[in-house]
Amino acid sequence: MDQRLALFDEKMGKTMNNLAEEFGGIRAGRANPHVLDKLRVDYYGTPTAIQQVANVSVPEPRMIQIQPWEASMVKEIEKAILTSDLGINPTNDGKTVRLLFPELTEERRKELAKDVKKKGENAKVAIRNIRRDANDSFKKLAKEEDVSEDEIKQLEDQAQKMTDKYIADVDRAVEAKTKEILTV
């Protein structure tokens, strides 16, 4: 791949990774430990990921069990979950915290599917913006250096092909996540 295109390819790849991360945080009726990825607990004054202070497991399809390595962390973990936007009330027995995921209603599934589409559209916009930045940098290159118009046109065509590939990837990811959410 042309060195001038590699930077923009990397940026588009990061956009895809970000989209995959966002999709990981959307629960589809099944317990997914990734919904806890963005949550932080106060661990001796330092905001720390739950996975770094506890063992997170999925003993049943709709339950996440969080077993802290220190008993004093149970309250902190519970507080972090309650203040988050998960919409789930944790239960604890003094040693472990359990999250029971209720079955999603049809209405909630449709809401989540809309949210997935919106996130997909945002990713497409980001990818198109990266393509625009690439084309702008190619035009600057034509003015500053001794680069032929044919070479600039070829770079723009390659950037467009790269954009088309990533947008198709976004469409596939959105379709797969929507199917997962709407499957009862």
Side-chain angles (χ1 to χ4, degrees), residues 150-166:
D150 288 343
E151 197 174 343
I152 296 300
K153 186 72 178 147
Q154 189 178 23
L155 285 170
E156 287 176 349
D157 288 345
Q158 288 174 335
Q160 182 60 47
K161 285 177 185 160
M162 198 167 57
T163 302
D164 293 343
K165 179 180 86 73
Y166 278 105

Side-chain angles (χ1 to χ4, degrees), residues 16-161:
M16 284 301 298
N17 291 342
N18 185 36
L19 181 68
E21 222 173 82
E22 285 184 10
F23 283 177
I26 296 175
R27 61 187 182 97
R30 291 185 291 283
N32 182 348
H34 290 295
V35 298
L36 304 173
D37 285 351
K38 289 188 170 82
L39 297 185
R40 299 283 179 257
V41 292
D42 185 37
Y43 186 66
Y44 297 107
T46 307
T48 310
I50 290 178
Q51 288 88 336
Q52 294 178 346
V53 297
N55 185 23
V56 179
S57 61
V58 183
E60 297 174 23
R62 291 199 346 244
M63 178 196 289
I64 292 179
Q65 186 170 311
I66 306 165
Q67 192 161 10
W69 295 312
E70 295 177 30
S72 62
M73 291 305 296
V74 171
K75 289 277 184 232
E76 287 291 332
I77 291 171
E78 200 172 23
K79 190 168 78 174
I81 292 167
L82 284 170
T83 58
S84 73
D85 61 352
L86 282 179
I88 295 173
N89 286 327
T91 56
N92 86 54
D93 61 8
K95 294 178 182 174
T96 60
V97 177
R98 287 184 183 83
L99 300 176
L100 287 170
F101 288 80
E103 194 65 46
L104 293 175
T105 63
E106 189 65 30
E107 187 179 316
R108 181 73 179 130
R109 287 178 192 278
K110 286 179 181 172
E111 269 179 44
L112 288 172
K114 279 183 190 174
D115 192 34
V116 164
K117 272 196 174 96
K118 191 171 132 193
K119 288 179 192 295
E121 285 305 316
N122 290 343
K124 286 181 186 179
V125 167
I127 288 170
R128 289 182 189 119
N129 287 340
I130 293 167
R131 177 194 57 199
R132 186 194 61 222
D133 294 345
N135 288 341
D136 290 348
S137 77
F138 300 151
K139 286 181 178 114
K140 279 184 190 170
L141 196 67
K143 291 176 186 171
E144 294 171 4
E145 295 180 24
D146 204 19
V147 181
S148 70
E149 282 183 34
D150 288 343
E151 197 174 343
I152 296 300
K153 186 72 178 147
Q154 189 178 23
L155 285 170
E156 287 176 349
D157 288 345
Q158 288 174 335
Q160 182 60 47
K161 285 177 185 160

